[in-house]
Amino acid sequence: MKNTLFALLIAIAAGFGVFAFFPETTLAQTATCVQSREKECFPLPGGSALWTWTTYLKGACLNSSCSDIAQSDHLALDIAAVEGTPVFSPWDGVVEIAGEDDGCGRAVQILHPSVNRRTRMCHFQRASALPVHVGERVSAGDLVGYVYNSGRSHGNHLHIQVTNTVKGSVMREQEVVSLPAFRGINQGGIGGASTSPVFLTATAGTTPKASDIKLNLELDWPRLPGVNKTLNELVEGTSTIYLQNIVNFIFLLVLWVSAIIAFVSVIYAGFSYIISGANPTARSKSIQGIKNVVFGTAILLSSVVLLNFINPNLAILQIGISLPPEALHLLAPTAPTASGGLRQNTTDHKYYPIPFTDRTGAEDTFAAQVVMSSETANCFEEADTKEEEDTCTDKYEKEIANKFKAAGAIIVWDDDDSQPSCAAVCMQLANDSLNCRQFGSGQDNDSGGAKMIWDRIRNSDGSAKWVPSDDGFYHVGDSINDKWLRDDDSITGDEDLESRQCVAAYVVEAIDAPGDFGWDACFCNTSVTQ
Amino acid sequence: MKLLSHPGVLIGISAFAILALIILVAIFSFSSNDLVETPNTPRELWRRNLNTQVGEGTVRVVNSHDGYAITVPSSWQVPDVASGTSGLSIFYHPLGLAAEGVDLPEGLFLKVWVEPAPQDADIRTWAQQNARAQNVMPTTIGAYSAFSFSRPLQETTMELETSPIEDSLLKMFLVQDEERLFVISCSAEGAEYLAWIALCEEHVSSFEIL
């Protein structure tokens, strides 16, 4: 009986102790966060009742460090990832290339008419067929390939090139990472985990499920007193050790020890049986010992089979983690909040989340989402030439402007550029005064472009001076210079918040989701949803 | 339960169970010596451990799982593993080693991967369909009969047309045995691309099917 209990305990420790040990974990896939690239790994808090640990998500920024990405002129984004990392389509689209492309290796190129973009993803695995084919329609989040380094690539990584199909220009690295679909990368959220999406779908406002994100668990080992090093640093010279490696080691050790104990026990019992002669007590004891070994072994084998059933790759026991909610918010496309929230800086523009009181008197924060109308989407879909696309773009921008106008923004149409100008996006506030925000050459109301804009659209008493044209827009000519946000990095959100009642203007490119910014259009801080 | 009281049965079961356990553990522990687990991937697609044998200024790279070996200069950047799907990738640039995980516009790549032997099409057809080959010529690699072709590297333009890349060359060798097609490719881009291809070609001759 004692032996049976012992075997049972071993089985529990070997097979199910894993779950007891890490009550919040489930068996899932793990990633490899390469220690030598620690800077590319972003710590997130995690823990359970019994353990605390630091989890690391593999990030982007291979050909430039994360901090340098804003300065990069690289016309693509390279994301280091473990071979086999699934890659998903960032938006809906149609597959244009699915196959060998020399330098690009095994490549997939997708046209995304709804967002006027084209993505080319390179260096996928060969052998097994690509999961998509030319001409196939894919949805955001559909699997399109697996990371490798086919083509002229050195080391496993995903090369993502995003083209603006309207402008015909390839987006720079910093622009790519600022897109919602890739924002997780920018914030150190997504990428690199061996089964997690390299990037999430672009659906604004969706929250990645914990099951989408598989982590490597890296124990935050205590430092040994005196030497101020972890045990692992002393042994292997590295500060980290991966949890699943330890679990794997313990698991295999327990299996081996159990097997040896069982082996020795059965030999001992058999030998006892042989030498017991006619002594019934000794014989009975020997038989019972063998039974115990049989039962213990059966239980042990059951645990192995069960674990192997749950996780077919038992050779490396894999431990996943359900991310705590507070970690998830780092990964989701999050709207800025009054307390600072999301703040993006690039060399070209700044993006300030500032709370404001809208014209209804309600406290509000930025939460804008404009979805392209089906009519405009069709326009892009049917456009065969760049000229036709330009027409659609104009249509789209007018559509966007109308939406914001309907929400209370006063859009000043820059006739020179045939588009709403960032230099003069205004908001009608609760007291009916106009507040405008000019991101160009002036830093406050009283100087530079801001004053110029202000003077053009208000009377000295602050009332509106301009009358909108028939189309509902305020029109200006070339007197409004186009020194937009991109020319001025000196504006700070805090100053503007103090000096004006109004609003943060958010610069957007093709406004398909919050935070998808460029400088073609802009809108005031208000809630606009379709 | 009565049956379990029979000593012979008990000993037999015990021996069988223990043997099974040992075999099971041994399989899990040792069977993947030439494989590196690629999570969530079928075992046949796991990465292959490469065995390297250092010679005088050279290194012989052995992929015992896929059954081939090739010898290259020791200055070439040989990885520890080969992909289970995309094979071995060796990089060379005279200025030294490249950081991993980057695109490399300049330098030489020697890649070896294995495809199933083409069943319904001969190697020429395979090369045309899979590698945009034009003039596939018979050649030899060491003792093996092979086919080869060369062409400039190509890139796909935004208009989905292909255009050759300046100062680049791809030379591909195809060797077939009964079940497998070994694809060995040398691709070079940069001012010295011709010299690099020649160098690569020289070392392709050391290719062996194990």
Side-chain angles (χ1 to χ4, degrees):
Chain A
M1 193 59 193
K2 260 195 321 190
N3 287 346
T4 304
L5 279 176
F6 179 63
L8 187 65
L9 283 174
I10 288 176
I12 289 171
F16 305 105
V18 171
F19 298 103
F21 222 55
F22 309 106
E24 292 183 10
T25 65
T26 54
L27 282 180
Q29 198 49 269
T30 58
T32 303
C33 186
V34 182
Q35 174 60 22
S36 62
R37 292 181 184 151
E38 194 174 4
K39 286 178 182 172
E40 294 154 21
C41 303
F42 303 88
L44 293 172
S48 72
L50 296 177
W51 287 84
T52 58
W53 57 75
T54 304
T55 55
Y56 285 83
L57 292 169
K58 188 78 184 299
C61 325
L62 256 188
N63 45 12
S64 54
S65 72
C66 292
S67 57
D68 291 340
I69 206 165
Q71 277 74 44
S72 169
D73 287 328
H74 188 223
L75 290 174
L77 178 65
D78 288 339
I79 303 172
V82 176
E83 179 187 351
T85 300
V87 177
F88 302 95
S89 174
W91 301 284
D92 296 349
V94 180
V95 177
E96 295 181 319
I97 295 175
E100 290 295 325
D101 190 28
D102 281 5
C104 210
R106 178 63 60 102
V108 169
Q109 182 168 303
I110 305 172
L111 176 66
H112 312 281
S114 61
V115 291
N116 301 322
R117 295 204 179 92
R118 172 179 275 127
T119 52
R120 177 178 297 187
M121 293 162 275
C122 301
H123 314 310
F124 286 152
Q125 277 184 337
R126 290 200 180 90
S128 53
L130 281 166
V132 290
H133 304 91
V134 174
E136 188 176 330
R137 286 188 176 274
V138 293
S139 300
D142 282 357
L143 178 69
V144 295
Y146 297 93
V147 167
Y148 184 58
N149 69 339
S150 59
R152 296 190 63 75
S153 147
H154 189 62
N156 301 324
H157 77 285
L158 173 67
H159 170 102
I160 308 170
Q161 193 173 325
V162 183
T163 306
N164 183 322
T165 53
V166 177
K167 296 177 182 172
S169 59
V170 179
M171 297 174 78
R172 286 176 298 156
E173 189 173 17
Q174 67 194 61
E175 295 173 288
V176 176
V177 296
S178 65
L179 296 173
F182 306 92
R183 184 176 292 166
I185 295 167
N186 200 23
Q187 294 178 17
I190 302 297
S194 53
T195 60
S196 70
V198 168
F199 45 87
L200 293 179
T201 70
T203 311
T206 56
T207 301
K209 297 188 293 292
S211 57
D212 291 335
I213 304 149
K214 310 294 164 43
L215 306 176
N216 209 4
L217 300 187
E218 189 175 286
L219 285 177
D220 191 8
W221 295 103
R223 294 188 176 277
L224 300 174
V227 291
N228 195 30
K229 286 185 174 178
T230 65
L231 185 62
N232 203 57
E233 277 178 321
L234 286 176
V235 176
E236 296 186 23
T238 167
S239 63
T240 56
I241 185 167
Y242 294 124
L243 184 59
Q244 68 268 23
N245 293 345
I246 298 169
V247 175
N248 183 37
F249 173 78
I250 293 172
F251 183 67
L252 288 178
L253 183 70
V254 169
L255 280 183
W256 274 107
V257 169
S258 304
I260 290 167
I261 289 173
F263 187 69
V264 171
S265 298
V266 82
I267 289 176
Y268 174 76
F271 184 71
S272 299
Y273 180 82
I274 293 167
I275 65 171
S276 62
N279 183 343
T281 310
R283 289 182 72 128
S284 168
K285 202 173 172 182
S286 304
I287 291 168
Q288 186 59 44
I290 292 173
K291 281 181 186 173
N292 291 342
V293 171
V294 171
F295 288 134
T297 307
I299 293 170
L300 191 59
L301 281 175
S302 302
S303 72
V304 174
V305 170
L306 181 63
L307 266 183
N308 200 40
F309 173 75
I310 296 170
N311 175 7
N313 300 322
L314 192 60
I316 295 179
L317 189 67
Q318 294 156 350
I319 305 298
I321 177 176
S322 298
L323 278 179
E326 62 269 23
L328 277 178
H329 83 269
L330 293 172
L331 311 171
T334 312
T337 63
S339 58
L342 185 63
R343 176 174 176 144
Q344 302 273 2
N345 286 304
T346 75
T347 52
D348 295 305
H349 53 266
K350 294 175 191 292
Y351 176 66
Y352 299 111
I354 302 174
F356 71 104
T357 305
D358 69 18
R359 63 179 177 160
T360 67
E363 294 294 323
D364 208 343
T365 55
F366 168 68
Q369 181 180 5
V370 175
V371 180
M372 184 186 287
S373 70
S374 54
E375 185 189 347
T376 310
N378 288 339
C379 177
F380 279 112
E381 192 119 18
E382 290 163 6
D384 293 327
T385 64
K386 188 163 187 317
E387 287 70 30
E388 288 174 351
E389 275 198 342
D390 287 345
T391 309
C392 302
T393 304
D394 289 346
K395 194 173 179 177
Y396 183 31
E397 287 177 340
K398 184 81 74 144
E399 187 177 286
I400 292 164
N402 270 318
K403 282 172 183 165
F404 282 99
K405 183 161 65 68
I410 293 176
I411 308 291
V412 179
W413 198 262
D414 183 344
D415 287 340
D416 294 339
D417 254 4
S418 300
Q419 59 188 13
S421 166
C422 245
V425 173
C426 304
M427 188 79 182
Q428 191 166 12
L429 297 183
N431 60 5
D432 276 343
S433 65
L434 286 177
N435 271 279
C436 294
R437 171 65 183 229
Q438 202 277 340
F439 277 100
S441 52
Q443 295 187 27
D444 53 50
N445 265 352
D446 303 320
S447 68
K451 185 171 188 304
M452 182 170 66
I453 298 291
W454 190 250
D455 289 343
R456 291 290 297 269
I457 63 174
R458 70 167 186 174
N459 292 313
S460 55
D461 61 359
S463 60
K465 180 177 175 181
W466 286 1
V467 177
S469 304
D470 291 343
D471 61 3
F473 294 104
Y474 296 85
H475 287 256
V476 296
D478 58 6
S479 59
I480 303 298
N481 65 58
D482 65 351
K483 290 177 69 64
W484 292 353
L485 184 58
R486 71 176 97 168
D487 296 330
D488 189 286
D489 284 340
S490 62
I491 296 173
T492 68
D494 292 338
E495 284 173 8
D496 287 302
L497 186 59
E498 287 169 8
S499 63
R500 310 187 68 87
Q501 295 174 21
C502 184
V503 304
Y506 291 86
V507 187
V508 295
E509 189 176 20
I511 308 177
D512 56 285
D516 186 1
F517 36 81
W519 44 77
D520 285 345
C522 49
F523 53 89
C524 276
N525 196 347
T526 182
S527 291
V528 180
T529 51
Q530 194 180 44
Chain B
M1 292 302 284
K2 269 188 177 176
L3 190 65
L4 282 177
S5 298
H6 194 283
V9 174
L10 274 177
I11 291 173
I13 291 173
S14 306
F16 178 77
I18 290 167
L19 194 64
L21 179 65
I22 290 172
I23 290 171
L24 191 66
V25 173
I27 286 173
F28 284 132
S29 302
F30 301 116
S31 66
S32 57
N33 273 350
D34 58 349
L35 291 176
V36 181
E37 183 188 357
T38 309
N40 268 11
T41 306
R43 195 178 184 85
E44 63 270 21
L45 298 183
W46 286 9
R47 281 168 286 167
R48 278 67 159 139
N49 262 326
L50 296 172
N51 180 20
T52 50
Q53 298 156 1
V54 180
E56 201 169 317
T58 62
V59 56
R60 182 171 181 259
V61 185
V62 181
N63 181 342
S64 52
H65 190 274
D66 289 327
Y68 65 82
I70 192 165
T71 303
V72 297
S74 50
S75 59
W76 292 16
Q77 196 164 343
V78 178
D80 296 329
V81 292
S83 167
T85 61
S86 302
L88 166 67
S89 176
I90 297 173
F91 174 70
Y92 167 68
H93 190 286
L95 294 181
L97 306 180
E100 281 202 2
V102 292
D103 303 309
L104 295 169
E106 187 173 290
L108 167 70
F109 278 99
L110 168 60
K111 299 201 171 191
V112 184
W113 71 94
V114 184
E115 300 272 359
Q119 297 296 319
D120 303 323
D122 63 14
I123 290 183
R124 283 191 174 87
T125 312
W126 184 94
Q128 286 161 7
Q129 290 174 345
N130 294 279
R132 301 174 192 156
Q134 292 296 329
N135 300 307
V136 185
M137 307 292 288
T139 183
T140 55
I141 297 177
Y144 307 108
S145 297
F147 289 88
S148 76
F149 67 90
S150 59
R151 60 165 172 77
L153 287 165
Q154 295 177 345
E155 63 182 351
T156 306
T157 65
M158 291 289 293
E159 292 74 34
L160 303 180
E161 292 164 353
T162 52
S163 65
I165 299 172
E166 205 174 331
D167 290 343
S168 77
L169 194 64
L170 167 74
K171 182 143 193 177
M172 200 173 265
F173 300 87
L174 305 161
V175 188
Q176 189 176 9
D177 68 4
E178 286 178 2
E179 295 177 346
R180 298 167 297 178
L181 176 67
F182 295 92
V183 184
I184 310 159
S185 83
C186 299
S187 71
E189 188 176 342
E192 297 177 60
Y193 73 103
L194 285 174
W196 292 338
I197 288 289
L199 193 61
C200 185
E201 205 169 346
E202 181 186 328
H203 289 93
V204 166
S205 62
S206 68
F207 179 80
E208 308 161 60
I209 298 175
L210 302 177

